[in-house]
Amino acid sequence: MALHLYNTLTRRKEPFRPIDPANVRMYACGPTVYSFIHIGNGRMIVVFDLLFRLLRHVYGPGHVTYARNITDVDDKINARAETESAGLPLNDAIARVTSETIRQFHADAAGLGALPPSVEPTCTTHIPEMIAMIEVLIAKGGAYAAEGHVLLDTRAVPDYGALSGRSLDEMIAGARVEVAPFKRNPADSVLWKPSTDRQPGWESPWGRGRPGWHIECSAMAGKHLGAVFDIHGGGIDLIFPHHENELAQSRCAHGTPVMANVWMHNGFLEAEAGEKMSKSLGNFITVRELLDQAPGEAGRLALLSSHYRQPLPWSERLVMESRRTLDHWYELTADASDGAAIAPDVLDALEDDLNTPRAIAALHALRSEAAKGDAAAKATLKASARLMGFLRLSPDAWKAWRPAGVAVDEAKVTALITARSEARRARNFKESDRIRDELAGMGVQLKDARNKDTGEIETTWEVKR
Ligand code: AMP
Ligand code: ZN
């Protein structure tokens, strides 16, 4: 089947037709970098990474542009930096919070097997674009300035509410928060707001201030993907108000009928009690904690075990089972050849709105064939699992994985290093690389240096996770 995707905007599964097959463009709302991501956020990263991989497979790796932003201007960041500033100027404390969080986010995303996106724009480097877009919105009558703020005039932008299926009157009735007196309409959202001297701020036609969240994505998506692009994604909680506002702003500023043709939203990952995992409920597991407990690919398989639009109930058992599944796949494909074609059943399932449960079932069927010793099935299993971001390690590195906090067995490390040196002396580089991978899987990194006196290569090691 050709690729079909469910579109939140039309509430239908539709054939996917890119605007330009030579450059398929997708945007997903990335994290606000005030604290480490939890596995619910991880679900969103993995789901859109899978779509990125699938699009690269279908259209060619050089024909897909994936932009996933980093929100590094946000009041939650300011609040956290404020509590941790420890005498530092607030801007320095903010820089420390965001750089540390971004570093960990990159490690988490890579740990879950996500490819880096093609572009990863940050808000702090796109303020001029945001100001320019707000100026256009004001000029077109879609926004107004009031008391140092600029607001989106939700009554003036046509079709406001079409994505979330809410009427403006419903939104007003739902606006429980105290409505600022300068708003023409309670639903009007903030494009720009004033900053105190202490808060981060940029000079603008409306005074020193900072952007609101929604305009950040409109400006970054417009800059990197153009006025209209193919796919816009995020978690289901972003439909309203975030995506509704992004869409309204971008359409109004660019004068286009749509912002993105397809809007995709992943369902919630639920904590064991059946509630949404979230920072505010305090029921979360960070990706970093998950990666300390289980190999990243096991986490990835668990995150893809339910269809992305369904809720995903999380449990330790799910991670354990995913790990065992991967144990089998690694074992069976250890001697499989590379470069086989993807199984049609797997591709078909993924092209059917990323039906991962069906794709994984197809991999299980291949596993049964491979277990009978069928070499072609092994190679197909390997290629198909790899398309989904699995079986990326060497089998030895997979086997040697240990949870964080478990001390490495020094005697074993020394024995492996000796065996590696012997293999190298015998010019058996395949074996020496295998041993290096096995050690890497244990978190052990090697460093080779020539001893000036003896001329011998000496290997030292350290534990890195
Ligand atoms: P946030 O940092 O809350 O803005 O979330 C970043 C991304 O993760 C957004 O796309 C959210 O929709 C998504 N997200 C947050 N919580 C969950 C959850 N429990 N399950 C799935 N996705 C989530
Ligand atoms: Zn966004």
Side-chain angles (χ1 to χ4, degrees):
M1 107 185 267
L3 179 57
H4 282 63
L5 297 172
Y6 181 87
N7 188 353
T8 307
L9 199 56
T10 58
R11 291 165 180 75
R12 275 201 316 260
K13 193 151 72 176
E14 299 167 343
F16 176 65
R17 296 200 183 85
I19 299 163
D20 175 8
N23 186 16
V24 181
R25 287 159 290 154
M26 159 162 107
Y27 186 91
C29 301
T32 303
V33 285
Y34 70 103
S35 68
F36 295 172
I37 61 164
H38 61 67
I39 52 179
N41 310 134
R43 182 181 198 193
M44 178 258 153
I45 298 297
V46 166
V47 162
F48 290 98
D49 175 69
L50 180 67
L51 180 58
F52 182 36
R53 287 174 184 270
L54 180 64
L55 292 170
R56 285 161 56 97
H57 176 76
V58 174
Y59 296 96
H63 299 291
V64 185
T65 305
Y66 175 27
R68 187 183 65 211
N69 75 291
I70 285 182
T71 298
D72 60 352
V73 177
D74 187 275
D75 288 351
K76 288 195 283 279
I77 299 172
N78 302 346
R80 161 128 190 248
E82 194 74 74
T83 61
E84 292 182 9
S85 62
L88 282 178
L90 188 59
N91 275 332
D92 294 349
I94 288 172
R96 206 167 63 181
V97 166
T98 54
S99 63
E100 168 65 8
T101 312
I102 291 170
R103 190 195 58 72
Q104 184 63 40
F105 169 64
H106 285 156
D108 290 347
L112 291 173
L115 300 170
S118 329
V119 252
E120 195 173 45
T122 58
C123 302
T124 44
T125 56
H126 290 75
I127 302 286
E129 286 83 353
M130 294 170 201
I131 293 175
M133 192 169 205
I134 297 171
E135 287 185 303
V136 173
L137 284 169
I138 295 176
K140 290 197 171 183
Y144 56 95
E147 298 181 26
H149 293 71
V150 183
L151 296 130
L152 182 71
D153 191 345
T154 45
R155 287 230 188 257
V157 288
D159 289 342
Y160 188 80
L163 180 69
S164 56
R166 296 177 191 217
S167 73
L168 256 183
D169 292 336
E170 277 175 286
M171 291 179 215
I172 293 164
R176 283 172 295 118
V177 281
E178 215 179 296
V179 177
F182 49 79
K183 283 195 183 182
R184 285 185 195 164
N185 195 307
D188 295 353
S189 56
V190 172
L191 301 171
W192 190 263
K193 56 188 163 190
S195 294
T196 62
D197 288 347
R198 194 169 153 68
Q199 286 169 329
W202 291 264
E203 291 308 325
S204 82
W206 318 284
R208 186 172 171 279
R210 60 196 193 282
W213 176 31
H214 316 312
I215 194 72
E216 297 178 341
C217 283
S218 289
M220 290 186 280
K223 166 148 185 199
H224 294 283
L225 303 179
V228 180
F229 52 94
D230 296 295
I231 300 170
H232 193 314
I236 194 167
D237 54 335
L238 296 191
I239 296 177
F240 185 85
H242 185 54
H243 287 172
E244 196 73 75
N245 282 284
E246 274 190 40
L247 189 159
Q249 293 154 183
S250 295
R251 286 182 54 209
C252 182
H254 300 302
T256 51
V258 291
M259 176 186 187
N261 285 332
V262 185
W263 290 74
M264 293 176 67
H265 296 97
N266 64 273
F268 286 137
L269 183 138
E270 298 176 340
E272 255 170 299
E275 34 175 38
K276 174 196 175 188
M277 180 172 287
S278 79
K279 297 221 175 102
S280 53
L281 290 174
N283 58 357
F284 63 92
I285 303 169
T286 61
V287 170
R288 189 190 166 133
E289 285 164 335
L290 171 68
L291 295 175
D292 280 347
Q293 304 306 320
E297 288 189 13
R300 183 180 176 95
L301 184 58
L303 288 170
L304 293 175
S305 61
S306 292
H307 186 260
Y308 76 93
R309 285 194 284 122
Q310 299 300 320
L312 168 59
W314 192 257
S315 68
E316 231 170 83
R317 218 181 100 202
L318 175 65
V319 182
M320 298 275 293
E321 282 169 3
S322 303
R323 186 168 176 189
R324 268 200 299 276
T325 297
L326 280 156
D327 280 339
H328 291 136
W329 292 354
Y330 267 106
E331 204 176 308
L332 283 169
T333 57
D335 59 353
S337 48
D338 288 327
I342 314 289
D345 286 359
V346 173
L347 196 55
D348 240 36
L350 295 178
E351 290 192 328
D352 181 11
D353 191 32
L354 296 183
N355 192 333
T356 51
R358 196 144 66 76
I360 292 166
L363 292 175
H364 281 308
L366 273 171
R367 188 199 114 182
S368 305
E369 292 308 305
K372 293 177 198 153
D374 180 339
K378 286 183 183 183
T380 309
L381 172 60
K382 188 172 187 177
S384 309
R386 280 194 164 179
L387 171 69
M388 296 180 69
F390 303 114
L391 304 186
R392 298 266 150 195
L393 301 178
S394 73
D396 288 311
W398 173 261
K399 246 196 308 213
W401 188 92
R402 294 288 174 276
V406 172
V408 291
D409 178 344
E410 288 196 25
K412 185 171 178 197
V413 171
T414 315
L416 282 168
I417 290 177
T418 309
R420 174 172 170 268
S421 304
E422 277 163 14
R424 280 162 64 115
R425 265 195 293 276
R427 308 194 66 76
N428 183 352
F429 297 115
K430 197 166 173 214
E431 174 65 2
S432 67
D433 286 350
R434 187 197 68 73
I435 297 173
R436 190 200 51 218
D437 280 353
E438 182 174 345
L439 285 161
M442 294 160 66
V444 173
Q445 246 180 34
L446 302 182
K447 212 168 168 183
D448 294 320
R450 193 175 293 280
N451 181 318
K452 283 202 201 77
D453 301 329
T454 63
E456 290 272 320
I457 298 278
E458 286 177 356
T459 304
T460 51
W461 61 279
E462 58 180 342
V463 179
K464 267 218 171 110
R465 264 216 194 278

